[in-house]
Amino acid sequence: MLTTQLLLLLLTLYMHQPNDPRFQIYSLSERAITIAFGTEISESLLIKVTNCQKLLAEKPFHGFITAVPAYANITVYYEPLITIKSNLRGKSCFEKVSNYITDLLAQPVTENTTHSNTITIPVCYDDEYGPDIAEVANHHNITVNDVIRLHSSAIYKVYMIGFLPGFAYMGGLNIKIATPRKATPRKIVPAGSVGIAGQQTGVYPLDSPGGWQLIGKTPISLFNINNTTPSFLKAGDDVIFKPITANEFKTWAG
Amino acid sequence: MRIRILKAGLLSTIQDMGRHEHLSQAVPVSGVMDTLSARIANKALGNDDNNATIEFTYADAAFIAETDLLIAYAGDGATLSVNGQHIPAERPVFIPALTTINLIPTQSGVRTYLAIAGGWDVPEVLGSRSTFLTFGFGGFNGRLLKKGDILNSVDKTTTISAVLFERLKNTSVNYPAWGISLRDFELMDKKTIRVVAANEFTWFDKASITNFFSAPYLIGRQSNRMGYFLDGPVIERVKPAELLSTAVCLGTIQVTGNGTMIILMADCQTTGGYPRIAQIATVDMPKCAQLRPGDAVYFKQLERDEAEKLYIEREQQLQQLTTAISAKFL
């Protein structure tokens, strides 16, 4: 009886091989696996995610297609028909890619090799362009000018691109202007609108439905299909919003 | 080769195998919904699998051959007909200039793929000819096909296409006795959709999981190329945690805040924040692409490694088909 229990215990231990505590790997589909570094939003996780993305770009494995960074994880897409024929360790593609990435991440990280770009985005905060700016000010009992000052004096971090092509989720919003999403989303938010949702800020790259509080609008285009990299921003970028007047906005656009 | 659209039908777009390189910038894959049918139509012509096809949704469409054509079609949405004469699917067909081709409804599916020797000639946008309707780029000017549109094929064709064209060229519609059979691809049980448990599978309660694997779920009316809503027993959460936005893909089944499930389809977003209950086996996605609102499906659990094995077997089967066609005509 005891032997059976011991065997079971050993088997359990074997089945649950101690995962690398630094990350977990799970399957998304036959063609994708996700490497999760945590479950919260933090700059240290962002560094791990962008580092992993960089390592994969430098040393792709057989069948690698692309990698999609998210807040706390990165998803790696591959073509199983190619990967299965590779000499990576493991029986299935899932094992092969998991082992490859585990080895890749075991290499010592060269600190701070990824310097982030700082990108300035001009924003007109007039209520014509930011229809919710007064609501945000009222919500916090501050003036519209305070909202503009607070929004344009921080350096934001792009955590991920998602939701819409080129839509950057940015963290670093001052808690004094953090505002919940609108109860009823708008049917159409015009492209270029700058919004707030909780402690995040972002810019709508394309006309789309959306529930973020709109506090301004940029004349620049954040998504252009004619560019080889269509998204203006990428995960890891630093972003500054620079206030411009309605006149400057119009000349920029025209 | 050139056609003119006489009747566009409900939702007709140009699609290839999709846009895969810009997922990190949240550019959706798009592409054909039923990859198997589109690939078979292309293979029947000696085309590359990735050549652009027209994806027709249901029937009610018609077009005219402005030049001689070498076409093939596949998919359960419609059958093609010339003057009441049925044209067989899944094989190359020669159509003489000035012939009018009608799409006739079927009772079985939704989508039909029309391939042409060389593929439909539309510009590549971000590495693909697929139409992404939501933001109007790719395909034919980023939009649905409409009456009067003129579509050209790419002039350069494969040697197989050239050989087929010469052999089949005639004064009337002509096709060979052979064809590829979609039935060779184990799609018979149309109601059973095989799935692998997703990462948040354990976030849902036991009764909901039991329902998930036993109750019928109906394809909802609000279903389109982005996703299908499912009508059926609600999926309850045991874990109230919030999920941070993370990558999702074709075949991901998300559970929304009110317990409704959504199957993500070709035009889906690249990331999502709803917990994921399951991932549909890629080999069963072509079946999903042919489901109509009101159709009932049952989900059956599969192990991750089995799904991968089925995927590889399917791909090998498709490769063998290409080899066999090459051997026949080269």
Side-chain angles (χ1 to χ4, degrees), chain A residues 57-252:
Chain A
E58 283 166 5
K59 290 183 191 170
F61 56 92
H62 271 285
F64 172 78
I65 297 172
T66 193
V68 179
Y71 279 114
N73 67 37
I74 185 163
T75 298
V76 178
Y77 289 83
Y78 54 89
E79 174 45 59
L81 207 54
I82 301 175
T83 305
I84 200 70
K85 290 175 190 153
S86 72
N87 54 13
L88 299 173
R89 272 185 300 124
K91 275 191 202 156
S92 62
C93 291
F94 177 77
E95 283 179 22
K96 283 173 181 284
V97 179
S98 300
N99 287 332
Y100 180 79
I101 288 169
T102 306
D103 292 348
L104 197 66
L105 292 173
Q107 294 168 13
V109 182
T110 40
E111 289 297 329
N112 277 334
T113 44
T114 43
H115 84 285
S116 42
N117 299 318
T118 302
I119 290 158
T120 302
I121 296 178
V123 180
C124 180
Y125 291 96
D126 286 12
D127 48 15
E128 174 188 353
Y129 298 112
D132 301 325
I133 196 161
E135 195 179 316
V136 170
N138 287 338
H139 185 85
H140 295 280
N141 255 325
I142 55 175
T143 67
V144 164
N145 277 336
D146 289 334
V147 176
I148 298 171
R149 184 176 49 79
L150 291 167
H151 190 258
S152 60
S153 60
I155 299 173
Y156 300 95
K157 198 66 160 169
V158 175
Y159 279 96
M160 60 180 280
I161 309 292
F163 167 49
L164 303 171
F167 187 94
Y169 287 92
M170 290 180 247
L173 187 74
N174 193 309
I175 192 86
K176 290 177 191 157
I177 50 170
T179 315
R181 284 175 173 81
K182 295 190 81 67
T184 312
R186 285 187 168 83
K187 288 235 164 66
I188 289 189
V189 173
S193 296
V194 177
I196 288 176
Q199 281 190 63
Q200 306 175 102
T201 188
V203 186
Y204 284 82
L206 301 153
D207 290 353
S208 99
W212 290 33
Q213 304 280 355
L214 308 181
I215 60 163
K217 196 175 170 190
T218 179
I220 66 168
S221 163
L222 276 93
F223 183 79
N224 188 335
I225 54 164
N226 298 315
N227 297 343
T228 40
T229 309
S231 176
F232 185 66
L233 299 171
K234 63 174 188 306
D237 283 348
D238 287 323
V239 172
I240 296 168
F241 293 106
K242 179 177 156 270
I244 58 168
T245 63
N247 260 340
E248 285 175 302
F249 184 99
K250 279 165 189 150
T251 24
W252 218 301

Side-chain angles (χ1 to χ4, degrees), chain B residues 83-162:
Chain B
N83 295 326
Q85 180 203 345
H86 166 76
I87 298 174
E90 301 149 17
R91 72 186 66 191
V93 180
F94 173 84
I95 307 268
L98 304 176
T99 308
T100 295
I101 297 106
N102 286 286
L103 274 77
I104 309 296
T106 62
Q107 295 308 312
S108 50
V110 178
R111 295 176 173 86
T112 307
Y113 296 86
L114 179 69
I116 190 156
W120 296 107
D121 190 14
V122 294
E124 273 195 12
V125 175
L126 299 174
S128 163
R129 293 188 162 91
S130 292
T131 316
F132 180 45
L133 284 176
T134 317
F135 293 113
F137 63 78
F140 194 90
N141 299 323
R143 64 162 170 79
L144 294 174
L145 295 178
K146 60 184 188 200
K147 186 182 170 180
D149 282 345
I150 289 174
L151 289 164
N152 287 290
S153 68
V154 173
D155 282 337
K156 195 175 164 5
T157 67
T158 61
T159 313
I160 298 173
S161 297

Side-chain angles (χ1 to χ4, degrees), chain A residues 26-28 30-31 66-68 70 73 75 79-80 92-94 161-166 206-207 228-231, chain B residues 20 22-27 126 135 199 244-248 269 271 276 279 281-282 304-305 307-308 311-312 315 319:
Chain A
Y26 64 84
S27 157
L28 173 63
E30 299 91 327
R31 299 182 281 185
T66 193
V68 179
N73 67 37
T75 298
E79 174 45 59
S92 62
C93 291
F94 177 77
I161 309 292
F163 167 49
L164 303 171
L206 301 153
D207 290 353
T228 40
T229 309
S231 176
Chain B
H20 298 270
H22 302 280
L23 293 176
S24 66
Q25 301 179 41
V27 178
L126 299 174
F135 293 113
N199 196 50
L244 279 180
S245 275
T246 179
V248 290
Q269 293 179 12
T271 62
R276 300 156 293 184
Q279 179 72 33
T282 302
R304 180 193 67 213
D305 285 354
E308 184 184 304
Y311 176 95
I312 289 170
E315 289 301 311
Q319 271 189 347

